[in-house]
Amino acid sequence: MQNLTELPGNTTSSNNLSVIVKVCVVIPLFIAFLFFILLTLYTFASHRQFFDSSRYILFTYMLMNDTLQLLSSVSLFLLAMGGVQFAVVYCAPLLFVSTATFLNTPLILSTMSLERYVAIFYPLHRPAIWRPEWIWIIILSLWIISCILPTVDFVLMRLKPGVDIHSTPVLCKTTVLSASPIQALFKVSLNGIFFAVVAVVILFTYIRILLETRQMRQDRVSVSKALHTVLLHGLQLLLSVMAFSQPIAELLLVQRVSLSQADMSFIYYFCFILLPRFLSPLIYGLRDESLRSYMKKAMPCFGARIDPHKEVKMTK
């Protein structure tokens, strides 16, 4: 995964100012994201009916995965900004979690698209694996698949001469575990196949639901909502794939724009690593009328304004 752990350490005053600005941009958004996550999870825990739907269970799983991804990613970002060095044995778990959760995101997106497909085409005879009581099997499978690449990194890890895994301090970055050209080629190939399969799944569900929307005369509203949801999944997948174009983009743009490589890395990190995680819970959560109404009631500033008579209607 491309991240700001590739940034070189700088000590000049101008670079220190740049570091402060970048931290001040990332941290407030991260805090806002955590607030939304806690509010959403509190809403789910307070209203158990949400766990009777596979859709909401997958949404909760996506929130938890994105939280882990951001915690590890922002930790690596702050360590890189501060130029902190420590042994590989402590760096590797952070990189493992960051990479696994990053790869888990497109798997969740494709799974949520398939769930919408199954809900539309098999509303009365849904396969057992897609029912709420069995959806955890799919979630466990996603975790196993997403852990393959970082596990391979550990197995094929070849450290530079003179670097001791337990004692030598290093900057915590992905190149620490992928110094071998063969390992780098394997990662690029696996990522290409991985995202291609996910893209095919999302494209398939989008086309099928689009055709179904044109044929159905009843319940077109719910089918249209599912179509828009799958389209948003495709957009977020595109943003995730763009993260892998960072080396090529830097090579082409650094010479044409008045930005340093560190600034270019930060722009890519913010736009294609952080932003999709910040936006997706807001998009998927606030688009749902039922979830939105319960979240408003959970917030004191909104809950005090809700008319008790309206509240009774919403809970019926």
Side-chain angles (χ1 to χ4, degrees):
M1 187 190 79
Q2 300 293 334
N3 53 52
L4 276 195
T5 55
E6 305 294 338
L7 296 179
N10 298 301
T11 57
T12 63
S13 58
S14 60
N15 286 331
N16 286 337
L17 178 61
S18 176
V19 169
I20 293 174
V21 170
K22 292 169 184 175
V23 171
C24 290
V25 169
V26 171
I27 297 303
L29 287 175
F30 177 64
I31 294 174
F33 174 85
L34 283 182
F35 172 77
F36 179 83
I37 290 292
L38 293 175
L39 178 62
T40 307
L41 294 179
Y42 172 78
T43 303
F44 282 144
S46 303
H47 303 87
R48 300 294 298 177
Q49 66 267 30
F50 285 115
F51 293 97
D52 294 331
S53 170
S54 300
R55 176 190 177 192
Y56 289 115
I57 294 175
L58 288 173
F59 177 62
T60 304
Y61 172 54
M62 183 179 71
L63 292 180
M64 297 175 67
N65 178 80
D66 284 350
T67 302
L68 286 175
Q69 211 289 317
L70 284 175
L71 283 172
S72 57
S73 178
V74 171
S75 297
L76 291 170
F77 165 77
L78 294 176
L79 291 172
M81 291 294 96
V84 179
Q85 298 185 8
F86 47 91
V88 175
V89 67
Y90 304 113
C91 169
L94 264 179
L95 293 175
F96 185 95
V97 173
S98 180
T99 303
T101 51
F102 177 78
L103 294 174
N104 210 3
T105 296
L107 290 177
I108 299 173
L109 294 176
S110 61
T111 303
M112 293 178 73
S113 298
L114 286 173
E115 191 278 332
R116 289 292 82 201
Y117 171 83
V118 171
I120 291 173
F121 287 91
Y122 306 99
L124 301 178
H125 303 283
R126 178 174 296 203
I129 194 67
W130 290 102
R131 295 172 184 171
E133 60 269 23
W134 294 104
I135 198 70
W136 63 269
I137 297 178
I138 295 179
I139 293 174
L140 180 61
S141 301
L142 298 184
W143 264 116
I144 294 174
I145 295 172
S146 63
C147 289
I148 291 177
L149 182 59
T151 301
V152 170
D153 278 342
F154 279 102
V155 173
L156 300 181
M157 182 173 60
R158 296 293 183 272
L159 298 177
K160 296 179 181 179
V163 176
D164 184 79
I165 191 172
H166 297 287
S167 60
T168 306
V170 296
L171 285 174
C172 195
K173 53 185 181 180
T174 54
T175 54
V176 171
L177 302 180
S178 56
S180 169
I182 297 178
Q183 188 177 358
L185 179 61
F186 175 83
K187 287 179 62 176
V188 171
S189 302
L190 188 61
N191 283 331
I193 297 173
F194 181 82
F195 279 91
V197 171
V198 172
V200 169
V201 171
I202 293 179
L203 184 62
F204 167 77
T205 55
Y206 179 81
I207 293 175
R208 289 286 290 147
I209 295 175
L210 178 62
L211 295 176
E212 186 70 9
T213 304
R214 295 180 176 180
Q215 295 176 2
M216 290 184 65
R217 296 183 179 179
Q218 299 178 350
D219 201 20
R220 293 178 63 90
V221 175
S222 61
V223 177
S224 297
K225 286 183 178 180
L227 186 65
H228 294 156
T229 300
V230 174
L231 185 60
L232 289 172
H233 292 166
L235 177 61
Q236 189 177 1
L237 177 66
L238 178 62
L239 292 175
S240 298
V241 172
M242 288 296 293
F244 293 100
S245 66
Q246 178 179 349
I248 300 175
E250 287 183 356
L251 183 64
L252 296 176
L253 295 178
V254 166
Q255 299 177 351
R256 300 185 181 182
V257 296
S258 56
L259 290 175
S260 65
Q261 184 175 0
D263 292 334
M264 287 292 300
S265 296
F266 175 77
I267 292 173
Y268 250 79
Y269 172 73
F270 183 81
C271 293
F272 303 123
I273 302 296
L274 292 183
L275 196 58
R277 274 79 190 171
F278 289 141
L279 293 180
S280 62
L282 297 175
I283 292 173
Y284 303 138
L286 297 182
R287 284 178 66 243
D288 189 283
E289 296 179 2
S290 176
L291 178 59
R292 185 171 65 247
S293 65
Y294 282 117
M295 289 177 65
K296 285 184 177 181
K297 288 188 286 185
M299 295 179 65
C301 57
F302 286 98
R305 301 177 187 175
I306 296 178
D307 189 345
H309 300 290
K310 292 184 178 179
E311 184 173 346
V312 172
K313 285 186 177 182
M314 285 191 295
T315 55
K316 281 185 178 180

